[in-house]
Amino acid sequence: MSDPFKSVNASKVTISELMLPSHSNFSGKIHGGYILMLMDQIAFACASKFSGHYCVTASVETVDFLNPIEIGELVTMKASVNYVGRSSMVVGIRVDSENIRTGKVKHCNSSYFTMVAKDDSAQNIEVPGLILASPDDIRRFYKAVHRIQSRKSNADHSDTFDSTTKEAIDNLSNYRVQLKSK
């Protein structure tokens, strides 16, 4: 590894693309799958730029579509590495759309992609450490740590939770479900 530490700024990537009719779904809005594809591309570019290696997507945090994107709007995605592990990086992505006639900008979604650096033999390879140079860098790093810990905690819970107990079955009455008799 050539550089043992790199700054968050060294990872930043921004892309903008005009949304065309070919990107739309049946309701005339931009297809969510198309936006996800662009998000995966910018996550790859960001992680590869930071690590200096080919990277693959290991996981994607929840993606909530906050506002629809219209045909003719300019979509801008900004990405940066928020956290690094040994070979993994959490890339934060923000998606905004702009009506180019009115100048109105909407926040459309944010998400976090976990990317893993690979060597030429497709083996995991160590990535540089992360230099945190601003309060925003520190905040984003700690939020990533919290999400990772929560995900691990939830995984541990799902391994031990017994959904067949009387308490679990009785709790189903709190939801809009109906148990089918055997």
Side-chain angles (χ1 to χ4, degrees):
M1 176 172 35
S2 60
D3 212 349
F5 288 90
K6 286 186 175 180
S7 69
V8 171
N9 281 342
S11 75
K12 289 186 176 182
V13 175
T14 301
I15 62 169
S16 294
E17 184 172 329
L18 183 65
M19 294 295 104
L20 303 174
S22 61
H23 304 141
S24 68
N25 60 25
F26 294 113
S27 67
K29 309 298 183 199
I30 300 307
H31 196 287
Y34 184 73
I35 299 301
L36 286 169
M37 180 192 72
L38 292 176
M39 292 173 77
D40 193 50
Q41 287 177 3
I42 196 170
F44 168 83
C46 178
S48 295
K49 177 182 176 185
F50 181 80
S51 69
H53 295 281
Y54 178 79
C55 294
V56 297
T57 306
S59 70
V60 179
E61 266 316 297
T62 301
V63 178
D64 293 321
F65 292 93
L66 306 173
N67 287 295
I69 300 171
E70 308 290 336
I71 295 169
E73 289 185 333
L74 183 65
V75 168
T76 300
M77 296 185 182
K78 296 178 180 179
S80 64
V81 171
N82 293 350
Y83 170 89
V84 296
R86 193 188 74 71
S87 61
S88 66
M89 297 151 281
V90 174
V91 175
I93 303 169
R94 180 182 172 100
V95 180
D96 291 319
S97 69
E98 179 182 359
N99 181 311
I100 56 177
R101 290 181 298 179
T102 66
K104 182 180 178 191
V105 176
K106 300 180 291 191
H107 177 211
C108 297
N109 68 42
S110 295
S111 189
Y112 305 94
F113 281 55
T114 300
M115 308 297 290
V116 177
K118 299 287 186 176
D119 65 15
D120 293 336
S121 303
Q123 299 299 309
N124 292 1
I125 189 164
E126 190 172 344
V127 300
L130 192 60
I131 299 169
L132 306 176
S134 74
D136 270 347
D137 293 350
I138 295 168
R139 178 183 55 80
R140 288 182 179 124
F141 182 86
Y142 273 119
K143 282 192 165 200
V145 168
H146 178 72
R147 281 191 310 278
I148 291 165
Q149 289 171 343
S150 292
R151 190 170 54 230
K152 287 180 181 177
S153 174
N154 288 341
D156 292 343
H157 174 72
S158 66
D159 289 343
T160 59
F161 180 73
D162 183 356
S163 61
T164 61
T165 64
K166 179 174 176 5
E167 179 185 4
I169 299 298
D170 290 345
N171 190 46
L172 288 174
S173 65
N174 296 324
Y175 301 94
R176 287 196 62 197
V177 297
Q178 185 179 46
L179 288 178
K180 186 173 180 178
S181 303
K182 290 184 181 181

